[in-house]
Amino acid sequence: ALSPLEVLTNYSITYNTADFSITKKEASVTPNVASKIYGGSDPMLAGTLSGFLEADGVTATYSRTEGETVLNSPYSISSTLSPIDVLSNYDVTYNTALFSINKKPASVSPVAATKVYGDLNPTLSGALTGFLVADGITATYGRTLGETVTIVPYSISAVLQPTNLLDNYDITYNLADFTITQAQLHASADNQSRLYGENNPNFTISYSGFK
């Protein structure tokens, strides 16, 4: 726009133009690191927006890659921004964060057992604590080898299945005692007799309770 207006009529004016550019504004979205215990619900994911104009009302929705095992953890947290129509005004840096699944505390505890020397072993049992029902974890109980009273107690331990799920747990393997008690042995002298004046017969003993 030229002035003063009263002199402009003396000129044959060419009004040239030039470009005015609005460049993209630097902005970023950064999810927060998050974690959970195996088998638990995901926490609410959150993050930080930086560089966006408040008037544009940009918001972020956070999500993570699918997966529910400790072995494949950590997973990646990313974000989706809206409204889409204002995002072309920004040069957005989309940062990611890690989502970790931590091992769930669990334990297996055999029950102490005993038997009499020479008898068959009883069925061994125990208790599982902290495992998810859906994982179907089972225990097989066994004891250290030995069949004498003098070196008892023996140790009862457990082996868990299926092994491919055990990495999701921080497992305490407890032990229990297996005791072998003495068997009852009965010794009875056999009745004997002799005629007066004769030599004594051989004395014998009958035993019962041998295994």
Side-chain angles (χ1 to χ4, degrees):
L2 301 178
S3 61
L5 293 177
E6 62 270 16
V7 300
L8 296 183
T9 56
N10 298 315
Y11 299 92
S12 176
I13 302 171
T14 300
Y15 285 88
N16 297 305
T17 60
D19 292 334
F20 181 87
S21 299
I22 298 178
T23 58
K24 291 187 176 185
K25 189 176 189 300
E26 297 287 333
S28 66
V29 55
T30 305
N32 296 334
V33 172
S35 66
K36 73 170 183 176
I37 298 294
Y38 172 72
S41 300
D42 281 12
M44 184 71 69
L45 301 179
T48 302
L49 296 175
S50 178
F52 296 98
L53 298 182
E54 186 175 349
D56 282 343
V58 176
T59 59
T61 302
Y62 301 95
S63 61
R64 68 174 181 91
T65 52
E66 293 184 353
E68 292 296 333
T69 65
V70 173
L71 192 61
N72 292 323
S73 171
Y75 301 93
S76 180
I77 304 173
S78 58
S79 58
T80 301
L81 299 178
S82 60
I84 296 175
D85 57 315
V86 301
L87 296 182
S88 59
N89 295 315
Y90 298 93
D91 183 10
V92 184
T93 299
Y94 287 88
N95 296 307
T96 59
L98 297 180
F99 185 92
S100 300
I101 298 180
N102 300 319
K103 292 187 175 185
K104 188 178 191 298
S107 65
V108 54
S109 302
V111 174
T114 185
K115 75 168 184 174
V116 175
Y117 173 74
D119 287 353
L120 296 175
N121 287 330
T123 299
L124 301 178
S125 62
L128 298 174
T129 303
F131 296 96
L132 299 181
V133 173
D135 283 346
I137 304 296
T138 59
T140 302
Y141 300 94
R143 69 174 182 89
T144 50
L145 297 176
E147 293 296 333
T148 66
V149 174
T150 55
I151 59 173
V152 295
Y154 298 96
S155 181
I156 304 173
S157 59
V159 176
L160 300 177
Q161 296 286 346
T163 56
N164 62 306
L165 296 176
L166 299 182
D167 286 334
N168 294 315
Y169 298 94
D170 183 11
I171 304 172
T172 300
Y173 287 88
N174 295 305
L175 302 175
D177 290 338
F178 185 91
T179 305
I180 298 178
T181 59
Q182 293 179 330
Q184 295 293 321
L185 175 63
H186 300 279
S188 301
D190 297 326
N191 294 325
Q192 300 288 350
S193 66
R194 68 176 175 88
L195 293 175
Y196 176 72
E198 292 183 352
N199 292 328
N200 288 332
N202 291 327
F203 297 117
T204 59
I205 299 176
S206 298
Y207 297 95
S208 62
F210 277 120
K211 300 295 184 178

